[in-house]
Amino acid sequence: MELGKVTVSINKAINAQEVAVKEKHARTCILGTHHEKGAQTFWSVVNRLPLSGNAVLCWKFCHVFHKLLRDGHSNVLKDSLRYKNELSDMSRMWGHLSEGYGQLCSIYLKLLRTKMEFHTKNPRFPGNLQMSDRQLDEAGENDVNNFFQLTVEMFDYLECELNLFQTVFSSLDMSRSVSVTAAGQCRLAPLIQVILDCSHLYDYTVKLLFKLHSCLPADTLQGHRDRFLEQFRKLKDLFYRSSNLQYFKRLIQIPQLPENPPNFLRASALSEHISPVVVIPAEASSPDSEPITDLVEMDTASQSLFDSKFDDIFGSSLGNDPFNFNSQNGMNKDDKDRLIEQLYGEIAALKEELENYKAESARGMMQLRGRTSELEAELAEQQHLKQQAQDESEFLRTELEELKKQREDTEKAQRSLTEIERRAQANEQRYSKLKEKYSELVQNHADLLRKNAEVTKQVTAARQAQGDVEREKKELEDSFQRVSEQAQRKSQEQAEVLDTLKRELAASRQELQVLQGTLESSTQARAEQSTRITGLEQERDSLSRAAERHGEEVAALHAELQQMRDRLGREQESSKMELEMLQVQLRDKQESKEQALQQRVAEEQFALLQGTAQEAKRMVQDALSRLEDPAHMACTGSADCLLSRTLAASECVERLQDAHGKYVSDHTAIGSLLPCLALFAHLVSDTLLQGSATSHLAPMEPADRLLEACKQCGSEAVSYLSALQDPGKVKGADCSLLTTCLSRIGTIGQELRPRGLDVKQEELGDLVDKEMAATAAAIETAAARIEEMLSKARAGDTGVKLEVNERILGSCTGLMQAIRVLVLASKDLQREIVESGRGAASPKEFYAKNSRWTEGLISASKAVGWGATVMVDAADLVVQGKGTFEELMVCSREIAASTAQLVAASKVKADKDSANLCKLQQASRGVTQATASVVASTKAGKSQVEEKDSMDFSSMTLTQIKRQEMDSQVRVLELENQLQKERQKLGELRKKHYELAGVAEGWEDAAD
């Protein structure tokens, strides 16, 4: 076939006109793939088409490509795999269009990709999906796992087909006759390929599900059945709707699915399944596949055909006219037309008679086929019943034999149990003789041990007997498994018999098809079928009689099996009673042993408690000895550290007292007491050493009292630990005196804490409130002064100076407002901290308890108020022209640092999840932004003023410029020298400020 012809056909088949693809162009494309054994030409032409720009073009491309995958050469799939990603991208692109052919193209491209993936994974399936049952079994390799996966892939494939089916129908207006329009036929034409695919996929899915149900449990396949039912309903509805369209009636015969879906839980339902067959008439073609022949030409052709047939019958009439129809007989053209019409009528009558004959023959054949199917089903049912009866009979015989063997084994076990009892009686007699002969305690003890050993042997023997029974049970289960395997093999043999019958049935069907030629042959076939039916009925009667005999045998075996079960049950009950008696004796022995073991465990636990208490006592004594050690005199400590150790020790003493109470009430609760003892010894020792170190820096009188309290605390701890070691005093051990000693140490530690700012702790609370109020008042005063300065500047200044002053004072006003919000947020957070941390104490007591934090808060408040006042003074001087811009920038940065100190002091004790803390942090960011605004406005004003006062050197001579340059260099050197000196001065000032602040806030006392 010429390459150019194929290219032209591809371009004609895939065009932008909204009409169906013509059949002759598609057929040429298919023949081209077989001619070149691939699809290179097709893809070379398609790649030049604007498929992404025209939806109709893309839709017709999908239609032609679907035909090539179904009917083209087998290499079409291999040549198309390289374009799979491009099809996916095109599908996603068209999926963004919700109208017209956009969604149709997207879903069709997904279907084609799914089809390509399916045939790639399953190369045994041809493109048109036509396979026999044997080929289907070979595709799954007779493996249930492969069948399971293949069914899932077919479900996915069929789901894509149904989606395209539903999308096309939903895009059409069914209220109008869309199937007769060119646009409607353009959308409906690809559905012919979809119907062909769906019929095969549905048939294969049904057959695979019956195979899976014969191998797997029904619960495992519940998901498969649900998915099949959903697709069955959709496919049935779509087939019904398609069969009613005029377009499909002329092109394809769509099968109708059964009213109810197949019942996969009944294996015989497979014989009722009829594969749906889609019929495409040989003379049918697409309406647009061939050009419509002119009516005149058709009449001429039919007239010439009739003339040729007339000449064959009556001779030639071209020139001789032997019958002289036209002249001699006086027959004109009208008589000839009537004769033609008469002949046409006779031909039509003969055709109708022939059709009736064919229809009658077909009905007869259908009746024969139906009767044959019914007889085959009855035969299969009878054979199945026969096989079941045989299997059940064989199973009962096997079970009866196993029960007989089990009975013999049970009798052996009974005899062995009798022998054990006889030996036990002999041992008892021997034990009584030994008891009379040996009266001493040691020998009695030995006899008891010997008797215990013998009882243990009896129990072991009884357990061995029970193990034998369990092994017999397992052997029964193995026998059941073997029986089931035999039943499975017999079912396979039955399946082979059924296959043989099916092959015979297929042969009979072929014979019936041969006999369809004439009515006489069909009559003979009916006679043969009736003869065969008679034979089948006789065979059915014989099978029913055999089944009745087998039923009687099964009933007899059931009765014998029930007797054996009753006898075995009675024997098992007697063995169970004897085993229970032996278990009671063994339980008594175990209880006595458990009591002795519990007593031993209690003694070991108390020994463990004594050892732990001894180690704890040694640690406390070591700490007491170090109090008098001269090497320890150089160690120093702070009162705050002493208080933290004392608090931890007090809490540990409380936990120790609770654990001791639990141990006294229940001696098994030693697990919580031992860890508390170890921690108690560590914390008490640490408190004693820390108290001694704190006394080295304290005044004489408090130091002596603190040292005496530590020694007394250590003595009480040693006494308490000694009481825990004594079994008689462990219940009365009390640590209340130890708690009192720790309280005394804590009280002395509170007295030794440093005082800051020379203020009494009772006055700290009032001082905090006063400083915060003073800070707020200073900020209000500063804001009022800035407003007053802004009013004066607007009244007295003009031009650039007024603009600069307004910008600077406006930014200062914003900074004051931000500081006011910050101070209010700090007050709210401070109030929240006091309320949450003071407990039952008053706010003043809370401030006194946290004096270091209170002093830092007071210092930060003072710094904020002082910074606001200084900044307002600097702004006033700048507005009056007496100050510098740098002084204002330094003041703004200093007040930002003071507010940061206030924020840090406020958030030290705040909860991280507090809402007021979030407000304070937000206000701090506002102050930072306002400070940056002040600095930016100041810099802008400075640059604006400097631009106004720009120097003019146009009137100066060279000598004057040189002199001014030398003066500027001298001034630069002087300013650099002053800058270095000012930096050194700033460093010294900061160092001195740090020292003074440390003295004021008690840093040196804390360091000591």
Side-chain angles (χ1 to χ4, degrees):
M1 181 177 290
E2 297 181 359
L3 182 62
K5 184 178 180 181
V6 176
T7 304
V8 171
S9 297
I10 295 173
N11 288 320
K12 287 184 178 181
I14 306 174
N15 54 45
Q17 297 179 4
E18 195 174 0
V19 295
V21 177
K22 292 186 178 181
E23 189 65 28
K24 64 178 182 179
H25 300 322
R27 186 164 51 250
T28 304
C29 296
I30 294 171
L31 294 175
T33 61
H34 287 282
H35 180 72
E36 66 172 341
K37 294 182 174 56
Q40 292 87 354
T41 304
F42 173 76
W43 282 109
S44 64
V45 175
V46 168
N47 287 332
R48 294 194 296 267
L49 297 177
L51 300 180
S52 300
N54 192 308
V56 177
L57 195 70
C58 182
W59 175 255
K60 298 178 77 171
F61 155 74
C62 294
H63 184 191
V64 175
F65 184 43
H66 196 175
K67 278 180 169 288
L68 293 182
L69 288 176
R70 279 188 52 83
D71 303 324
H73 195 269
S74 58
N75 290 333
V76 172
L77 178 63
K78 298 178 182 178
D79 296 338
S80 303
L81 287 176
R82 69 184 69 176
Y83 303 102
K84 186 168 66 173
N85 294 330
E86 297 179 5
L87 296 180
S88 300
D89 297 339
M90 199 183 306
S91 174
R92 285 193 294 270
M93 187 272 294
W94 285 116
H96 296 297
L97 298 179
S98 59
E99 297 180 356
Y101 282 87
Q103 288 293 328
L104 297 177
C105 293
S106 175
I107 295 175
Y108 207 165
L109 289 168
K110 289 180 182 177
L111 170 60
L112 295 175
R113 179 184 173 89
T114 303
K115 184 177 180 64
M116 294 167 66
E117 292 175 350
F118 177 80
H119 289 290
T120 304
K121 293 180 181 178
N122 304 282
R124 294 177 183 269
F125 283 83
N128 56 8
L129 296 174
Q130 292 182 0
M131 296 180 69
S132 63
D133 293 344
R134 182 179 58 81
Q135 292 174 337
L136 183 63
D137 294 338
E138 293 176 354
E141 298 178 356
N142 290 325
D143 187 359
V144 66
N145 296 320
N146 294 340
F147 285 136
F148 190 93
Q149 182 63 28
L150 182 61
T151 306
V152 175
E153 294 174 359
M154 284 190 176
F155 279 144
D156 298 337
Y157 191 178
L158 186 57
E159 187 70 26
C160 294
E161 301 274 4
L162 294 177
N163 287 339
L164 179 61
F165 223 136
Q166 290 179 333
T167 307
V168 170
F169 274 111
S170 60
S171 66
L172 296 175
D173 185 6
M174 292 302 177
S175 61
R176 298 183 294 109
S177 300
V178 293
S179 63
V180 298
T181 62
Q185 292 177 1
C186 182
R187 300 191 183 194
L188 291 173
L191 295 186
I192 296 177
Q193 313 300 319
V194 175
I195 292 172
L196 293 170
D197 288 345
C198 289
S199 62
H200 292 299
L201 290 174
Y202 167 77
D203 183 33
Y204 299 154
T205 304
V206 173
K207 294 177 180 178
L208 289 177
L209 284 177
F210 273 111
K211 287 183 180 293
L212 291 175
H213 279 79
S214 64
C215 302
L216 298 176
D219 295 340
T220 306
L221 300 172
Q222 181 62 42
H224 281 52
R225 290 198 300 274
D226 295 340
R227 194 171 183 185
F228 174 79
L229 291 176
E230 181 182 359
Q231 293 185 353
F232 174 80
R233 288 191 290 269
K234 291 181 180 179
L235 186 61
K236 181 179 178 182
D237 178 62
L238 293 173
F239 275 8
Y240 176 74
R241 294 172 63 184
S242 302
S243 61
N244 293 329
L245 293 178
Q246 188 65 29
Y247 177 72
F248 290 122
K249 288 181 179 180
R250 295 180 296 170
L251 300 177
I252 189 172
Q253 292 182 9
I254 302 175
Q256 296 300 323
L257 298 183
E259 185 66 24
N260 297 318
N263 185 6
F264 299 110
L265 302 179
R266 185 167 58 89
S268 60
L270 178 59
S271 61
E272 302 173 2
H273 170 67
I274 300 175
S275 301
V277 179
V278 180
V279 179
I280 299 180
E283 66 274 7
S285 62
S286 177
D288 298 326
S289 60
E290 300 291 343
I292 300 174
T293 308
D294 191 86
L295 295 176
V296 178
E297 294 179 357
M298 292 177 63
D299 293 340
T300 305
S302 60
Q303 180 64 35
S304 62
L305 178 62
F306 175 76
D307 291 341
S308 63
K309 292 182 179 179
F310 186 83
D311 293 339
D312 293 338
I313 297 172
F314 299 102
S316 177
S317 60
L318 292 176
N320 298 329
D321 194 11
F323 296 100
N324 197 11
F325 287 127
N326 294 327
S327 60
Q328 295 179 6
N329 298 333
M331 183 179 293
N332 55 17
K333 191 174 183 179
D334 294 336
D335 297 334
K336 186 177 181 180
D337 290 340
R338 284 195 297 273
L339 179 60
I340 291 171
E341 291 176 357
Q342 182 181 357
L343 291 174
Y344 272 134
E346 293 178 358
I347 291 172
L350 291 172
K351 286 183 178 180
E352 184 178 358
E353 185 178 355
L354 182 61
E355 291 294 333
N356 293 334
Y357 175 75
K358 289 182 179 180
E360 185 179 356
S361 299
R363 284 195 297 272
M365 294 303 300
M366 289 299 294
Q367 291 176 0
L368 289 174
R369 288 178 182 176
R371 182 58 180 167
T372 303
S373 300
E374 293 176 359
L375 292 174
E376 288 175 353
E378 291 180 2
L379 178 60
E381 187 72 21
Q382 292 296 330
Q383 290 178 349
H384 180 67
L385 292 175
K386 177 182 177 182
Q387 187 63 33
Q388 284 183 346
Q390 291 177 353
D391 294 342
E392 188 173 1
S393 176
E394 186 66 25
F395 171 74
L396 290 175
R397 286 197 187 94
T398 307
E399 187 176 2
L400 181 60
E401 293 176 358
E402 294 294 335
L403 288 175
K404 288 180 179 179
K405 293 179 181 179
Q406 185 178 2
R407 180 183 177 184
E408 293 175 357
D409 296 337
T410 306
E411 290 176 354
K412 291 180 181 179
Q414 184 68 25
R415 287 195 297 270
S416 63
L417 185 61
T418 305
E419 183 67 21
I420 291 172
E421 291 177 353
R422 187 181 60 78
R423 291 178 182 178
Q425 291 176 359
N427 290 331
E428 288 178 359
Q429 293 175 1
R430 183 181 178 185
Y431 171 71
S432 61
K433 292 179 181 180
L434 290 174
K435 186 176 181 181
E436 293 174 356
K437 186 179 293 185
Y438 300 99
S439 58
E440 294 180 0
L441 181 62
V442 177
Q443 293 180 356
N444 288 335
H445 181 64
D447 293 337
L448 289 174
L449 291 176
R450 191 178 297 108
K451 185 178 179 180
N452 186 16
E454 291 173 356
V455 172
T456 304
K457 289 180 181 179
Q458 292 176 2
V459 172
T460 304
R463 290 181 178 174
Q464 290 178 356
Q466 186 177 2
D468 295 337
V469 173
E470 292 179 354
R471 284 194 296 273
E472 291 172 1
K473 186 185 293 183
K474 291 182 180 178
E475 291 176 358
L476 284 175
E477 292 177 355
D478 295 337
S479 65
F480 287 150
Q481 184 67 23
R482 290 194 297 271
V483 169
S484 62
E485 291 177 356
Q486 293 176 0
Q488 187 174 4
R489 287 195 297 271
K490 290 181 179 180
S491 63
Q492 292 177 356
E493 294 175 358
Q494 182 65 25
E496 293 176 358
V497 173
L498 289 175
D499 292 337
T500 304
L501 292 175
K502 286 181 179 179
R503 288 193 293 272
E504 293 178 358
L505 180 60
S508 64
R509 287 179 178 175
Q510 291 177 359
E511 293 175 1
L512 288 175
Q513 290 177 357
V514 172
L515 296 175
Q516 285 180 358
T518 60
L519 181 61
E520 183 178 355
S521 61
S522 64
T523 305
Q524 294 176 359
R526 289 180 185 177
E528 292 178 0
Q529 288 292 332
S530 61
T531 304
R532 184 173 296 179
I533 288 168
T534 305
L536 291 174
E537 290 177 350
Q538 293 176 359
E539 185 177 357
R540 183 184 62 184
D541 295 338
S542 61
L543 288 175
S544 61
R545 289 193 296 272
E548 290 177 358
R549 289 196 300 272
H550 284 296
E552 295 174 356
E553 294 177 0
V554 168
L557 291 174
H558 271 299
E560 187 175 355
L561 177 62
Q562 186 64 32
Q563 293 177 1
M564 293 295 295
R565 287 178 177 173
D566 296 339
R567 188 179 305 164
L568 181 60
R570 290 193 296 271
E571 293 174 356
Q572 288 179 351
E573 287 178 359
S574 62
S575 300
K576 185 177 180 181
M577 292 175 62
E578 295 173 359
L579 182 61
E580 289 177 353
M581 292 175 62
L582 294 174
Q583 287 178 351
V584 168
Q585 296 176 3
L586 180 62
R587 194 179 301 113
D588 295 338
K589 293 290 184 181
Q590 289 178 350
E591 289 178 356
S592 60
K593 290 181 179 180
E594 287 177 357
Q595 291 176 359
L597 183 61
Q598 289 178 358
Q599 182 66 24
R600 185 179 177 183
V601 169
E603 293 174 356
E604 291 179 354
Q605 287 180 350
F606 186 73
L608 185 62
L609 175 61
Q610 286 179 335
T612 307
Q614 181 64 28
E615 290 296 326
K617 181 178 177 182
R618 190 175 300 149
M619 290 178 62
V620 176
Q621 288 176 349
D622 180 67
L624 288 174
S625 63
R626 289 176 65 183
L627 294 181
E628 303 297 336
D629 190 1
H632 186 64
M633 297 298 292
C635 296
T636 59
S638 63
D640 291 334
C641 185
L642 175 62
L643 290 175
S644 64
R645 294 290 88 194
T646 305
L647 180 61
S650 300
E651 294 176 353
C652 182
V653 169
E654 293 178 359
R655 293 197 299 272
L656 178 61
Q657 192 170 2
D658 295 338
H660 178 259
K662 294 180 181 178
Y663 174 73
V664 170
S665 59
D666 184 8
H667 289 291
T668 59
I670 197 173
S672 60
L673 180 59
L674 296 179
C676 289
L677 275 177
L679 182 62
F680 165 76
H682 171 71
L683 292 177
V684 169
S685 301
D686 197 8
T687 302
L688 297 179
L689 295 176
Q690 190 64 37
S692 175
T694 305
S695 66
H696 295 160
L697 293 178
M700 184 66 68
E701 182 180 357
D704 293 340
R705 287 192 291 111
L706 179 58
L707 193 59
E708 183 65 26
C710 291
K711 291 180 179 180
Q712 186 179 359
C713 179
S715 300
E716 293 295 335
V718 170
S719 301
Y720 177 72
L721 294 173
S722 300
L724 291 179
Q725 293 178 344
D726 190 355
K729 297 180 181 180
V730 66
K731 292 184 178 181
D734 189 13
C735 56
S736 58
L737 295 176
L738 183 62
T739 305
T740 305
C741 293
L742 290 174
S743 300
R744 284 182 57 197
I745 294 174
T747 304
I748 298 172
Q750 287 287 351
E751 295 176 359
L752 295 177
R753 293 189 65 191
R755 306 294 192 273
L757 300 176
D758 297 330
V759 180
K760 294 182 180 181
Q761 292 186 355
E762 292 79 4
E763 300 176 358
L764 284 175
D766 297 336
L767 186 60
V768 170
D769 296 336
K770 290 179 183 179
E771 289 299 333
M772 295 298 290
T775 302
I779 293 170
E780 294 292 339
T781 304
R785 287 185 60 190
I786 291 174
E787 291 292 336
E788 183 180 356
M789 287 188 288
L790 184 59
S791 300
K792 290 181 180 180
R794 289 173 178 171
D797 297 334
T798 58
V800 176
K801 186 176 181 181
L802 176 60
E803 182 181 355
V804 171
N805 292 339
E806 283 184 345
R807 187 184 300 117
I808 293 174
L809 292 177
S811 60
C812 291
T813 302
L815 179 59
M816 289 298 110
Q817 293 177 354
I819 294 173
R820 184 187 297 115
V821 174
L822 178 68
V823 171
L824 294 176
S826 177
K827 284 183 178 180
D828 295 337
L829 181 60
Q830 174 190 346
R831 190 179 302 109
E832 180 183 346
I833 293 171
V834 173
E835 291 296 330
S836 61
R838 67 185 179 89
S842 63
K844 293 183 179 180
E845 293 175 352
F846 177 80
Y847 286 126
K849 182 179 179 181
N850 301 275
S851 59
R852 185 66 51 81
W853 173 73
T854 306
E855 292 164 2
L857 194 63
I858 293 172
S859 176
S861 301
K862 285 185 176 181
V864 172
W866 175 81
T869 304
V870 173
M871 191 189 74
V872 172
D873 293 339
D876 191 9
L877 293 176
V878 169
V879 171
Q880 294 177 5
K882 299 178 182 179
T884 60
F885 293 100
E886 288 79 3
E887 184 178 0
L888 182 59
M889 288 189 287
V890 170
C891 290
S892 61
R893 288 171 178 159
E894 184 66 25
I895 198 170
S898 300
T899 54
Q901 180 183 358
L902 180 61
V903 172
S906 300
K907 66 187 289 189
V908 165
K909 289 185 175 295
D911 186 7
K912 63 179 181 179
D913 297 327
S914 174
N916 290 323
L917 177 59
C918 296
K919 293 180 181 179
L920 180 63
Q921 292 175 343
Q922 187 176 1
S924 175
R925 288 192 288 270
V927 171
T928 304
Q929 294 175 359
T931 304
S933 177
V934 171
V935 173
S937 61
T938 305
K939 287 182 179 180
K942 180 181 177 182
S943 62
Q944 193 170 1
V945 171
E946 288 176 352
E947 289 176 0
K948 179 182 177 182
D949 299 334
S950 61
M951 292 176 289
D952 186 11
F953 303 113
S954 60
S955 61
M956 297 177 66
T957 63
L958 178 62
T959 305
Q960 291 175 344
I961 291 176
K962 186 66 176 177
R963 181 62 183 269
Q964 291 289 338
E965 181 181 354
M966 293 177 63
D967 293 340
S968 297
Q969 291 178 357
V970 172
R971 182 62 179 166
V972 166
L973 293 175
E974 291 176 351
L975 291 175
E976 287 179 351
N977 189 18
Q978 291 179 5
L979 176 62
Q980 185 176 3
K981 290 181 180 180
E982 289 296 329
R983 284 178 174 171
Q984 293 177 355
K985 183 179 178 180
L986 177 62
E988 293 295 332
L989 288 173
R990 286 179 174 174
K991 183 177 180 181
K992 190 64 176 177
H993 176 265
Y994 182 79
E995 293 176 355
L996 293 176
V999 171
E1001 298 183 8
W1003 294 351
E1004 293 181 355
D1005 295 339
D1008 294 338

